[in-house]
Amino acid sequence: MDAPSAGYAFEYLIETLNDSSHKKFFNVPRLGGTKYDVLPYSIRVLLEAAVRNCDGFLMKREDVMNILDWKTKQSNVEVPFFPARVLLQDFTGIPAMVDFAAMREAVKTLGGDPKKVHPACPTDLTVDHSLQIDFNKCAIQNAPNPGGGDLQKAGKLSPLRVQPKKLPCRGQTTCRGSCDSGELGRNSGRFSSQIENTPILCPFHLQPVPEPETVLKNQEVEFGRNRERLQFFKWSSRVFKNVAVIPPGTGMAHQVNLEYLSRVVFEEKDLLFPDSVVGTDSHITMVNGLGILGWGVGGIETEAVMLGLPASLTLPEVVGCELTGSSNPFVTSIDVVLGITKHLRQVGVAGKFVEFFGSGVSQLSIVDRTTIANMCPEYGAILSFFPVDNVTLKHLEHTGFDKAKLKSMETYLKAVKLFRNDQDNSGEPEYSQVIQINLNSIVPSVSGPKRPQDRVALTDMKSDFQACLNEKVGFKGFQIAAEKQNDIVSIHYEGSEYKLSHGSVVIAAVISCTNNCNPSVMLAAGLLAKKAVEAGLHVKPYIRTSLSPGSGMVTHYLSSSGVLPYLSKLGFEIVGYGCSTCVGNTAPLSEAVLNAVKQGDLVTCGVLSGNKNFEGRLCDCVRANYLASPPLVVAYAIAGTVNIDFQTEPLGTDPTGRNIYLHDIWPSREEVHQIEEEHVVLSMFKALKEKTEMGNKRWNSLEVPDSVLFPWDLKSTYVRCPSFFDKLTKEPVALQPIENAHVLLYLGDSVTTDHISPAGSIARSSPAAKYLTNRGLTPREFNSYGARRGNDAVMTRGTFANIKLFNKFIGKPAPKTVHFPSGQTLDVFEAAELYQKEGIPLIILAGKKYGSGNSRDWAAKGPYLLGVKAVLAESYEKIHKDHLIGIGIAPLQFLPGENADSLGLSGRETFSLTFPEELSPGVTLNIKTSTGKVFSVIASFENDVEITLFKHGGLLNFVARKFS
């Protein structure tokens, strides 16, 4: 399917840019006059895309007028949106590309031309989620977990990549100085041969030095275990038009998007238009801090956009967030983020756009803005938008933007009134609602122990943790008996004795998510580490510390500023570039720690500078997890406990016995900004550009097949042709009734996509593990669910396999359910498999906010392949509900005020319902149970497009039929 033609219905709006005779643009303000002038900036971007793509079919003139009339139509109409580009990351990108490859097979089977199946818009795929921490400073000698590919038989590392351990600078002729004196930084890190184009400098002489050994080892293993997936990605980039793959080792999807892929203004065939993006990562929203409209959607919707269809959204309300005042010098941008997060959650912005304005906005750097924008999924907004202003232009100039393009960009944005000017308030937008946040009111804080929205002021941390020990088990409670709250368990580790207690920190991770885009907080962590080391402080060796930067740029400025060796000295050694601890890929804790935790039933803690801290996400045995800024992660690692009051209790003592408090080593804002100005420079962005475009030797030498259809390897456990198209017909069949369906799971409130979708490591006793074992793999070769998202057999078996899943049929957290015909308690997959063999359809009963959390397409695909025909819940997370419809599962909703309990449902009944021939949005359906009870539910379809997709059996079938 080809992309729509330029907006012929509004050709009269096309004008020539003042500063160029050949560059043109749609002068959209002419369309709306005063109506346009009061539109929020984010809505103006939607309007421009609608005008430019108006073809009378996929984008109608009525859609354009609805957006222009946003003030009266918000929340009441559905509008299409054509983003300029799509961004995929490998965990969620591989199923999208596998579906594309499978769709080629299906189109050929139906008699169509498979060569027509390719993305219609620019699509970038970043291989950033496959990194696992096999090696860190604590576990450098651990045997690697090789997984599949060419390291399947042995975990040996290439002799070409690992050199004898030497000091980082060996008196090269290019380095004017000597690093042989044994000073800190010259002998504290482990270095080896330099990975191609990685911008690491000698911290003392600012000359290139080799990459840390841990990075080399982790990348070596990453390439080995993921070879099949990488070959598939490279094949995709060659076969599908408009697909570019960013090789592993480059950086995270959302950070590479910000630093390298973002255009701010697109130029296509001399036509200028705003950059915009959707993609399969909820943190796509980071780019809104740069004035680029973007948000995360599911893999199913992303595939539709890649095929030339618009994304669909309800014309959103836009909440104007006015920032006033200035923040305290000791408050980091992460404190600002968490403060705004809590405030916006309290206000209620779910399903809305948030747009920032006010005098406080200009005081925020671009990296501060992008950090704030990146957290918007955690407070429920679709996106948080910062319009382009002078701060944006200055940032782009510093990052190497071509000056002529920058001038054209400014001229264009001002011509279409997309440029924010603090000095001119005459065209101030009107918002659905305005809230005010005074930056002076924000104090340093952390978030936890189980949810990102539970913010705790740093001054209250000790008392809050102690209160959590007392509280009943829940989001803020662990219910530890009072007489056991002071229990201490001794451990022996590396020849020394240590004591663990409730609150002991066992994981401290500065990881590749959310915060690493902001140099100020990373440099603050480095400066704090420097002062700590100089004061004689240290981190206990049993604590799993790691530093996983989002890109080589972070490594560059940490190294060139001279703070990296101090971080390494405290155990925060670089382990690689990619998502690790945040997605459950942390190195295992030592047996001594694990035994102590079990013996004392201790509530131990993880502290990380990320944005996800759901219970059990980091490690099953770590019950309390706190989100904190990078310098606080380092501080808590030094303290060794979260059960501390930093105001009155010391972190430790110096060699003379003097107490050292946090305020003694906390860097001032002036120190941080000075280092930031000196080391966050143009060369870093140039280095990332070179690294991205040149790739690396392993990637460049990877051989891939040259074929229109992918040659599926039937023995592969990584990439497999999925079964979504197995029963595809040229024309859709009539909607079938659901008759005598059993309930697979009876769930409560706030079931997240983490509970549903496979993620993290594969448990040895799980159905997925049995599948892999039967194919000759050992547990060391299982890899993670994320790495195996291209194999539907593994993913289906991992659906609802989360150990924290609470199924009311079981009565305790466990990935189990009851197969009612036999009365057996089984793994969810095994029960579903039995139901399918018996020809029994399935439904799921759930409470409020079913499918909350990150957008995950496998949270819909998995249940579909388990045989689930419908979900009946009190309410849904919108993105997940869209996924259910997109895969062909009916989203049913209890009537307001009703639920399974109020209707007297036990979940042991069977359920039957019939869909009317003329299905309409929000129609009421009747369900009849085997007990004779009849009750009404709402078919939660919002528009005719969703109904069309459901009638086709989902989006994939709909699109495949279009090609056939």
Side-chain angles (χ1 to χ4, degrees):
M1 183 178 298
D2 295 328
S5 304
Y8 70 86
F10 296 97
E11 282 185 351
Y12 68 92
L13 295 178
I14 297 178
E15 295 183 5
T16 300
L17 198 64
N18 291 337
D19 68 341
S20 174
S21 59
H22 64 279
K23 294 181 180 179
K24 301 182 182 301
F25 69 102
F26 282 88
N27 192 353
V28 184
R30 284 176 49 199
L31 176 67
T34 55
K35 271 189 179 180
Y36 182 90
D37 292 343
V38 296
L39 288 178
Y41 289 92
S42 50
I43 300 299
R44 297 179 196 184
V45 177
L46 288 179
L47 180 60
E48 192 283 335
V51 167
R52 178 167 37 86
N53 291 288
C54 184
D55 61 354
F57 176 58
L58 293 174
M59 179 71 73
K60 300 177 181 178
R61 186 181 183 89
E62 178 187 1
D63 297 319
V64 175
M65 293 299 107
N66 282 338
I67 299 174
L68 182 61
D69 292 332
W70 167 83
K71 192 172 180 180
T72 58
K73 296 294 179 68
Q74 56 183 292
S75 302
N76 295 320
V77 296
E78 197 83 12
V79 294
F81 172 56
F82 284 97
R85 56 190 174 91
V86 161
L87 180 66
L88 307 172
Q89 46 95 335
D90 55 316
F91 267 22
T92 47
I94 191 166
M97 298 313 301
V98 165
D99 288 348
F100 261 65
M103 192 179 293
R104 284 195 163 198
E105 302 270 0
V107 169
K108 182 182 179 182
T109 301
L110 293 180
D113 182 2
K115 291 183 180 179
K116 291 182 178 179
V117 180
H118 61 78
C121 67
T123 301
D124 298 294
L125 191 152
T126 303
V127 185
D128 70 328
H129 274 54
S130 58
L131 174 68
Q132 293 187 40
I133 305 175
D134 295 281
F135 300 95
N136 67 0
K137 190 165 186 178
C138 293
I140 193 73
Q141 301 302 328
N142 286 359
N145 174 16
D150 63 353
L151 292 184
Q152 195 161 327
K153 300 299 181 183
K156 294 182 179 179
L157 303 179
S158 167
L160 297 177
R161 309 307 302 160
V162 181
Q163 303 294 328
K165 295 178 184 177
K166 296 183 179 180
L167 302 180
C169 181
R170 295 179 292 277
Q172 298 98 326
T173 55
T174 56
C175 185
R176 297 183 182 278
S178 171
C179 288
D180 298 331
S181 62
E183 294 178 45
L184 175 62
R186 307 196 206 3
N187 57 8
S188 61
R190 293 181 170 95
F191 294 85
S192 182
S193 297
Q194 185 174 4
I195 291 178
E196 297 77 16
N197 312 309
T198 302
I200 296 183
L201 302 181
C202 167
F204 295 93
H205 306 123
L206 305 186
Q207 295 296 325
V209 298
E211 187 72 271
E213 182 183 340
T214 48
V215 175
L216 285 171
K217 288 188 174 183
N218 282 317
Q219 287 191 353
E220 183 87 17
V221 175
E222 178 184 359
F223 260 83
R225 69 155 58 94
N226 295 296
R227 179 172 292 275
E228 293 175 32
R229 297 169 62 247
L230 297 178
Q231 286 176 323
F232 176 76
F233 285 143
K234 196 167 183 179
W235 173 84
S236 298
S237 68
R238 289 187 177 181
V239 171
F240 295 115
K241 296 179 182 178
N242 286 333
V243 172
V245 175
I246 310 299
T250 305
M252 306 174 329
H254 35 291
Q255 191 157 334
V256 172
N257 184 27
L258 180 73
E259 296 173 9
Y260 174 68
L261 301 174
S262 294
R263 282 83 155 174
V264 183
V265 171
F266 250 83
E267 183 174 345
E268 191 174 278
K269 297 179 180 178
D270 292 333
L271 182 69
L272 299 175
F273 54 93
D275 189 4
S276 57
V277 59
V278 297
T280 56
D281 190 290
S282 60
H283 300 291
I284 297 292
T285 51
M286 178 187 280
V287 296
N288 288 279
L290 201 59
I292 298 170
L293 197 71
W295 66 92
V297 297
I300 300 170
E301 301 98 317
T302 306
E303 289 171 41
V305 173
M306 292 164 65
L307 289 166
L309 297 173
S312 182
L313 75 159
T314 301
L315 192 60
E317 295 180 36
V318 182
V319 176
C321 183
E322 183 178 12
L323 300 182
T324 60
S326 57
S327 59
N328 185 289
F330 295 101
V331 168
T332 71
S333 62
I334 307 307
D335 296 317
V336 175
V337 168
L338 294 176
I340 291 175
T341 297
K342 184 173 184 178
H343 195 98
L344 292 177
R345 270 192 175 273
Q346 291 172 341
V347 171
V349 293
K352 303 175 184 179
F353 284 9
V354 174
E355 189 167 295
F356 290 87
F357 71 102
S359 59
V361 174
S362 296
Q363 299 177 41
L364 301 178
S365 67
I366 289 298
V367 287
D368 289 335
R369 299 178 189 188
T370 54
T371 307
I372 293 169
N374 194 28
M375 283 293 281
C376 82
E378 312 312 322
Y379 45 81
I382 298 174
L383 57 87
S384 292
F385 192 72
F386 288 83
V388 175
D389 60 8
N390 288 320
V391 175
T392 315
L393 295 182
K394 187 176 295 186
H395 170 82
L396 294 174
E397 184 180 355
H398 289 163
T399 59
F401 247 68
D402 180 82
K403 289 187 178 181
K405 286 186 177 181
L406 206 56
K407 181 62 178 175
S408 295
M409 177 192 302
E410 182 178 359
T411 303
Y412 165 71
L413 291 172
K414 288 181 176 178
V416 294
K417 299 182 179 179
L418 285 173
F419 189 87
R420 176 182 168 275
N421 189 343
D422 264 343
Q423 310 305 318
D424 181 13
N425 297 321
S426 59
E428 198 70 40
E430 295 180 4
Y431 295 104
S432 312
Q433 176 187 0
V434 173
I435 61 174
Q436 290 185 329
I437 298 178
N438 190 329
L439 297 179
N440 290 324
S441 66
I442 296 175
V443 297
S445 61
V446 297
S447 189
K450 300 181 183 182
R451 300 187 304 177
Q453 64 263 38
D454 295 326
R455 183 166 166 256
V456 183
L458 192 62
T459 53
D460 299 333
M461 180 60 179
K462 183 172 183 176
S463 59
D464 187 83
F465 178 74
Q466 291 172 343
C468 289
L469 294 180
N470 288 313
E471 286 291 326
K472 292 182 179 180
V473 174
F475 293 132
K476 289 281 289 184
F478 299 102
Q479 200 169 354
I480 303 297
E483 65 272 14
K484 294 186 176 182
Q485 291 181 14
N486 296 319
D487 286 359
I488 294 175
V489 180
S490 296
I491 66 168
H492 291 273
Y493 189 84
E494 294 185 351
S496 299
E497 182 178 346
Y498 301 94
K499 297 184 185 299
L500 292 185
S501 59
H502 295 294
S504 288
V505 173
V506 294
I507 295 176
V510 177
I511 61 175
S512 59
C513 194
T514 303
N515 311 314
N516 294 359
C517 68
N518 193 325
S520 65
V521 291
M522 293 298 291
L523 287 170
L527 288 170
L528 186 143
K530 178 176 183 293
K531 293 185 176 187
V533 170
E534 290 171 345
L537 301 179
H538 63 277
V539 173
K540 295 177 178 65
Y542 61 79
I543 298 176
R544 282 289 182 257
T545 50
S546 60
L547 170 60
S548 181
S551 74
M553 187 191 83
V554 182
T555 303
H556 186 123
Y557 65 68
L558 289 178
S559 184
S560 64
S561 62
V563 299
L564 188 58
Y566 297 95
L567 285 164
S568 179
K569 182 72 173 177
L570 294 179
F572 292 93
E573 188 171 85
I574 293 174
V575 295
Y577 304 99
C579 288
S580 49
T581 306
C582 197
V583 292
N585 290 345
T586 189
L589 300 179
S590 69
E591 287 296 323
V593 171
L594 292 175
N595 292 337
V597 171
K598 185 176 181 180
Q599 176 186 337
D601 190 27
L602 298 178
V603 179
T604 54
C605 302
V607 186
L608 63 153
S609 62
N611 56 16
K612 294 288 188 303
N613 61 336
F614 299 120
E615 187 176 9
R617 188 178 179 103
L618 270 63
C619 179
D620 292 346
C621 62
V622 180
R623 292 153 68 182
N625 298 300
Y626 287 92
L627 307 181
S629 64
L632 283 180
V633 171
V634 178
Y636 275 115
I638 294 169
T641 180
V642 300
N643 197 14
I644 182 175
D645 182 346
F646 283 136
Q647 287 185 309
T648 60
E649 298 177 62
L651 292 172
T653 58
D654 66 12
T656 67
R658 182 175 66 92
N659 285 337
I660 304 296
Y661 293 86
L662 181 60
H663 62 78
D664 294 326
I665 62 172
W666 190 270
S668 69
R669 183 176 291 260
E670 290 73 24
E671 287 178 276
V672 174
H673 283 176
Q674 181 180 351
I675 298 294
E676 188 175 3
E677 288 297 319
E678 292 175 357
H679 299 284
V680 184
V681 293
L682 169 63
S683 61
M684 300 174 187
F685 289 88
K686 284 186 175 180
L688 176 63
K689 184 175 186 293
E690 292 173 1
K691 185 176 182 181
T692 303
E693 294 175 352
M694 292 178 65
N696 55 62
K697 286 183 180 179
R698 294 189 190 94
W699 174 261
N700 295 339
S701 63
L702 197 63
E703 295 183 359
V704 295
D706 184 14
S707 57
V708 174
L709 301 177
F710 186 71
W712 306 99
D713 181 358
L714 298 181
K715 296 180 180 179
S716 174
T717 57
Y718 277 92
V719 181
R720 186 178 117 126
C721 187
S723 56
F724 301 120
F725 302 104
D726 286 357
K727 298 179 181 179
L728 182 66
T729 57
K730 277 226 168 189
E731 298 297 330
V733 298
L735 289 176
Q736 301 298 304
I738 299 175
E739 297 180 336
N740 300 317
H742 270 289
V743 176
L744 178 63
L745 293 162
Y746 184 6
L747 306 172
D749 296 340
S750 298
V751 173
T752 71
T753 51
D754 277 0
H755 290 113
I756 306 169
S757 181
S761 59
I762 298 173
R764 294 189 180 192
S765 60
S766 66
K770 295 174 187 175
Y771 169 85
L772 295 173
T773 300
N774 290 339
R775 278 149 186 78
L777 274 67
T778 66
R780 286 180 58 190
E781 298 168 327
F782 286 171
N783 210 328
S784 65
Y785 281 113
R788 294 190 182 274
R789 285 195 189 193
N791 185 319
D792 63 308
V794 172
M795 297 301 286
T796 306
R797 285 163 171 80
T799 302
F800 294 113
N802 191 305
I803 61 171
K804 299 298 180 182
L805 179 74
F806 189 90
N807 179 7
K808 293 184 181 182
F809 293 149
I810 305 301
K812 63 180 180 180
K816 303 283 185 180
T817 195
V818 177
H819 176 254
F820 288 109
S822 67
Q824 299 179 79
T825 297
L826 302 169
D827 287 317
V828 175
F829 170 79
E830 292 171 347
E833 190 176 39
L834 274 181
Y835 280 125
Q836 290 199 51
K837 287 179 180 178
E838 296 160 349
I840 298 174
L842 298 171
I843 68 170
I844 291 171
L845 288 182
K848 300 180 181 69
K849 297 182 180 180
Y850 179 77
S852 56
N854 277 4
S855 62
R856 299 184 188 275
D857 59 332
W858 268 106
K861 289 179 176 178
Y864 173 82
L865 293 178
L866 288 175
V868 173
K869 303 299 181 184
V871 176
L872 177 53
E874 291 182 64
S875 63
Y876 293 89
E877 182 84 7
K878 183 182 184 333
I879 289 180
H880 182 63
K881 181 169 71 70
D882 292 345
H883 283 196
L884 294 176
I885 296 169
I887 201 63
I889 294 176
L892 307 177
Q893 194 165 337
F894 289 105
L895 296 179
E898 293 185 352
N899 55 40
D901 287 337
S902 69
L903 292 171
L905 303 176
S906 69
R908 298 174 181 271
E909 313 91 339
T910 60
F911 295 73
S912 301
L913 77 153
T914 301
F915 295 100
E917 188 173 336
E918 295 300 322
L919 192 60
S920 58
V923 67
T924 300
L925 306 176
N926 290 324
I927 292 182
K928 183 177 182 179
T929 72
S930 54
T931 62
K933 181 183 292 291
V934 178
F935 61 96
S936 297
V937 298
I938 300 168
S940 192
F941 301 102
E942 296 184 11
N943 52 62
D944 291 336
V945 174
E946 291 185 348
I947 290 173
T948 299
L949 296 180
F950 182 70
K951 286 182 175 180
H952 274 267
L955 179 58
L956 294 174
N957 289 347
F958 173 78
V959 174
R961 289 188 176 107
K962 291 287 185 181
F963 282 124
S964 303

Short mmCIF file of all heavy atoms in Angstrom, two decimals, residues 23 39 60 67 129 143 165 188 223 278 285 320 330 371 442 488 583 612 623 655 686 709 740 816 829 888 964:
data_model
loop_
_atom_site.label_atom_id
_atom_site.label_comp_id
_atom_site.label_asym_id
_atom_site.label_seq_id
_atom_site.Cartn_x
_atom_site.Cartn_y
_atom_site.Cartn_z
N LYS A 23 12.14 25.86 -1.52
CA LYS A 23 11.54 25.16 -0.39
C LYS A 23 10.11 25.66 -0.18
O LYS A 23 9.86 26.86 -0.11
CB LYS A 23 12.36 25.37 0.88
CG LYS A 23 13.74 24.73 0.80
CD LYS A 23 14.54 24.93 2.07
CE LYS A 23 15.91 24.27 1.94
NZ LYS A 23 16.75 24.47 3.14
N LEU A 39 -5.00 27.46 19.03
CA LEU A 39 -4.77 26.02 19.16
C LEU A 39 -3.48 25.77 19.94
O LEU A 39 -2.48 26.47 19.75
CB LEU A 39 -4.63 25.37 17.78
CG LEU A 39 -5.88 25.22 16.92
CD1 LEU A 39 -5.51 24.61 15.58
CD2 LEU A 39 -6.93 24.36 17.63
N LYS A 60 -9.84 12.64 5.47
CA LYS A 60 -10.91 13.39 4.83
C LYS A 60 -10.87 14.85 5.26
O LYS A 60 -10.31 15.20 6.29
CB LYS A 60 -12.26 12.77 5.19
CG LYS A 60 -12.40 11.32 4.75
CD LYS A 60 -13.73 10.73 5.19
CE LYS A 60 -13.84 9.28 4.76
NZ LYS A 60 -15.11 8.66 5.22
N ILE A 67 -10.04 18.79 13.51
CA ILE A 67 -8.84 19.19 14.26
C ILE A 67 -8.80 20.70 14.42
O ILE A 67 -8.46 21.22 15.49
CB ILE A 67 -7.56 18.67 13.56
CG1 ILE A 67 -7.58 17.14 13.49
CG2 ILE A 67 -6.31 19.14 14.30
CD1 ILE A 67 -6.44 16.55 12.68
N HIS A 129 17.85 -3.54 23.00
CA HIS A 129 17.29 -4.22 24.17
C HIS A 129 17.84 -5.63 24.37
O HIS A 129 17.39 -6.35 25.24
CB HIS A 129 15.76 -4.30 24.05
CG HIS A 129 15.06 -3.09 24.57
ND1 HIS A 129 15.36 -1.82 24.14
CD2 HIS A 129 14.07 -2.94 25.49
CE1 HIS A 129 14.58 -0.95 24.75
NE2 HIS A 129 13.79 -1.60 25.58
N ALA A 143 31.24 -17.12 34.12
CA ALA A 143 31.12 -17.70 32.78
C ALA A 143 29.96 -17.02 32.07
O ALA A 143 28.93 -16.77 32.67
CB ALA A 143 30.87 -19.19 32.88
N LYS A 165 45.42 -7.55 30.27
CA LYS A 165 45.02 -6.36 31.02
C LYS A 165 46.21 -5.42 31.16
O LYS A 165 47.26 -5.78 31.69
CB LYS A 165 44.49 -6.75 32.38
CG LYS A 165 43.21 -7.57 32.30
CD LYS A 165 42.74 -7.98 33.67
CE LYS A 165 41.51 -8.87 33.54
NZ LYS A 165 41.06 -9.36 34.84
N SER A 188 42.49 1.60 37.70
CA SER A 188 41.26 1.13 38.35
C SER A 188 40.29 0.51 37.36
O SER A 188 39.43 -0.24 37.74
CB SER A 188 40.55 2.29 39.05
OG SER A 188 40.19 3.28 38.13
N PHE A 223 26.46 -10.54 20.62
CA PHE A 223 26.46 -10.91 19.21
C PHE A 223 26.32 -12.41 19.04
O PHE A 223 25.68 -12.89 18.10
CB PHE A 223 27.74 -10.41 18.53
CG PHE A 223 27.55 -9.14 17.76
CD1 PHE A 223 27.59 -7.92 18.40
CD2 PHE A 223 27.33 -9.18 16.40
CE1 PHE A 223 27.40 -6.74 17.69
CE2 PHE A 223 27.14 -8.01 15.68
CZ PHE A 223 27.18 -6.79 16.32
N VAL A 278 5.98 7.85 15.68
CA VAL A 278 5.40 6.88 16.60
C VAL A 278 6.28 5.65 16.56
O VAL A 278 7.04 5.43 15.61
CB VAL A 278 3.94 6.50 16.25
CG1 VAL A 278 3.02 7.69 16.34
CG2 VAL A 278 3.86 5.83 14.88
N THR A 285 8.30 9.21 23.67
CA THR A 285 7.84 10.54 24.10
C THR A 285 8.99 11.47 24.47
O THR A 285 8.78 12.68 24.57
CB THR A 285 6.90 10.41 25.31
OG1 THR A 285 7.56 9.59 26.30
CG2 THR A 285 5.61 9.74 24.91
N GLY A 320 -2.59 22.38 29.73
CA GLY A 320 -1.49 23.32 29.76
C GLY A 320 -0.83 23.31 31.12
O GLY A 320 -1.50 23.53 32.14
N PHE A 330 20.02 22.20 44.80
CA PHE A 330 20.30 20.81 45.14
C PHE A 330 19.29 19.85 44.52
O PHE A 330 19.38 18.64 44.72
CB PHE A 330 20.33 20.64 46.66
CG PHE A 330 21.46 21.39 47.31
CD1 PHE A 330 21.22 22.61 47.93
CD2 PHE A 330 22.75 20.90 47.28
CE1 PHE A 330 22.25 23.32 48.52
CE2 PHE A 330 23.79 21.61 47.86
CZ PHE A 330 23.55 22.82 48.48
N THR A 371 13.96 14.72 29.59
CA THR A 371 13.81 13.83 30.74
C THR A 371 12.38 13.90 31.26
O THR A 371 11.76 12.87 31.57
CB THR A 371 14.79 14.21 31.86
OG1 THR A 371 16.11 14.26 31.34
CG2 THR A 371 14.75 13.19 32.98
N ILE A 442 9.56 22.01 44.63
CA ILE A 442 10.05 20.64 44.41
C ILE A 442 11.29 20.37 45.27
O ILE A 442 12.22 21.18 45.30
CB ILE A 442 10.35 20.40 42.92
CG1 ILE A 442 9.05 20.52 42.12
CG2 ILE A 442 11.00 19.04 42.70
CD1 ILE A 442 9.23 20.43 40.63
N ILE A 488 19.34 -8.93 61.90
CA ILE A 488 20.59 -8.77 61.14
C ILE A 488 21.12 -10.16 60.79
O ILE A 488 21.12 -11.07 61.63
CB ILE A 488 21.65 -7.99 61.95
CG1 ILE A 488 21.19 -6.55 62.18
CG2 ILE A 488 23.00 -8.02 61.24
CD1 ILE A 488 22.11 -5.74 63.08
N VAL A 583 15.00 -4.05 32.54
CA VAL A 583 14.15 -5.09 31.97
C VAL A 583 14.46 -6.46 32.58
O VAL A 583 14.17 -7.49 32.02
CB VAL A 583 14.27 -5.15 30.43
CG1 VAL A 583 13.68 -3.91 29.82
CG2 VAL A 583 15.72 -5.32 30.00
N LYS A 612 11.16 2.25 36.02
CA LYS A 612 10.29 1.11 36.32
C LYS A 612 10.81 0.43 37.59
O LYS A 612 11.97 0.06 37.66
CB LYS A 612 10.30 0.10 35.17
CG LYS A 612 9.68 0.62 33.88
CD LYS A 612 8.18 0.74 34.01
CE LYS A 612 7.56 1.06 32.66
NZ LYS A 612 8.07 2.24 32.05
N ARG A 623 12.76 -7.19 47.10
CA ARG A 623 11.35 -6.83 47.24
C ARG A 623 11.09 -5.33 47.18
O ARG A 623 9.99 -4.89 46.85
CB ARG A 623 10.81 -7.41 48.55
CG ARG A 623 10.75 -8.93 48.51
CD ARG A 623 10.87 -9.57 49.89
NE ARG A 623 9.71 -9.30 50.73
CZ ARG A 623 9.60 -9.71 51.98
NH1 ARG A 623 10.58 -10.41 52.53
NH2 ARG A 623 8.53 -9.43 52.69
N PRO A 655 39.57 8.30 56.41
CA PRO A 655 40.65 7.54 57.08
C PRO A 655 40.99 8.04 58.49
O PRO A 655 41.53 7.29 59.30
CB PRO A 655 41.83 7.73 56.12
CG PRO A 655 41.19 7.92 54.78
CD PRO A 655 39.94 8.70 55.05
N LYS A 686 28.94 14.23 16.89
CA LYS A 686 29.60 13.77 15.67
C LYS A 686 30.07 12.33 15.80
O LYS A 686 29.94 11.52 14.87
CB LYS A 686 30.79 14.68 15.34
CG LYS A 686 30.41 16.02 14.75
CD LYS A 686 31.67 16.78 14.33
CE LYS A 686 31.30 18.08 13.62
NZ LYS A 686 32.51 18.85 13.20
N LEU A 709 11.48 -13.67 0.04
CA LEU A 709 10.87 -14.27 1.22
C LEU A 709 11.96 -14.74 2.17
O LEU A 709 13.01 -15.22 1.73
CB LEU A 709 9.98 -15.46 0.83
CG LEU A 709 8.82 -15.16 -0.13
CD1 LEU A 709 8.08 -16.46 -0.46
CD2 LEU A 709 7.86 -14.14 0.47
N ASN A 740 -20.25 -21.04 25.21
CA ASN A 740 -19.79 -21.89 26.32
C ASN A 740 -18.30 -21.72 26.59
O ASN A 740 -17.56 -22.70 26.74
CB ASN A 740 -20.11 -23.36 26.03
CG ASN A 740 -21.62 -23.59 25.87
OD1 ASN A 740 -22.42 -23.07 26.64
ND2 ASN A 740 -21.99 -24.36 24.85
N LYS A 816 -0.38 -19.72 37.49
CA LYS A 816 -1.17 -20.95 37.42
C LYS A 816 -2.65 -20.63 37.21
O LYS A 816 -3.10 -19.52 37.47
CB LYS A 816 -1.03 -21.76 38.72
CG LYS A 816 0.40 -22.13 39.09
CD LYS A 816 0.91 -23.30 38.27
CE LYS A 816 2.30 -23.74 38.74
NZ LYS A 816 2.81 -24.87 37.94
N PHE A 829 -0.35 -21.76 30.26
CA PHE A 829 -0.26 -22.26 28.90
C PHE A 829 -0.79 -23.68 28.78
O PHE A 829 -1.51 -24.01 27.83
CB PHE A 829 1.20 -22.22 28.41
CG PHE A 829 1.39 -22.95 27.10
CD1 PHE A 829 1.03 -22.34 25.90
CD2 PHE A 829 1.90 -24.24 27.06
CE1 PHE A 829 1.18 -23.01 24.69
CE2 PHE A 829 2.06 -24.92 25.86
CZ PHE A 829 1.70 -24.30 24.66
N GLY A 888 -7.78 -9.07 17.32
CA GLY A 888 -9.03 -9.81 17.11
C GLY A 888 -9.68 -10.32 18.38
O GLY A 888 -10.52 -11.23 18.32
N SER A 964 -3.57 -8.47 -1.20
CA SER A 964 -3.82 -9.70 -1.95
C SER A 964 -4.76 -9.48 -3.14
O SER A 964 -5.59 -8.61 -3.13
CB SER A 964 -4.41 -10.75 -1.02
OG SER A 964 -3.53 -10.97 0.07
#
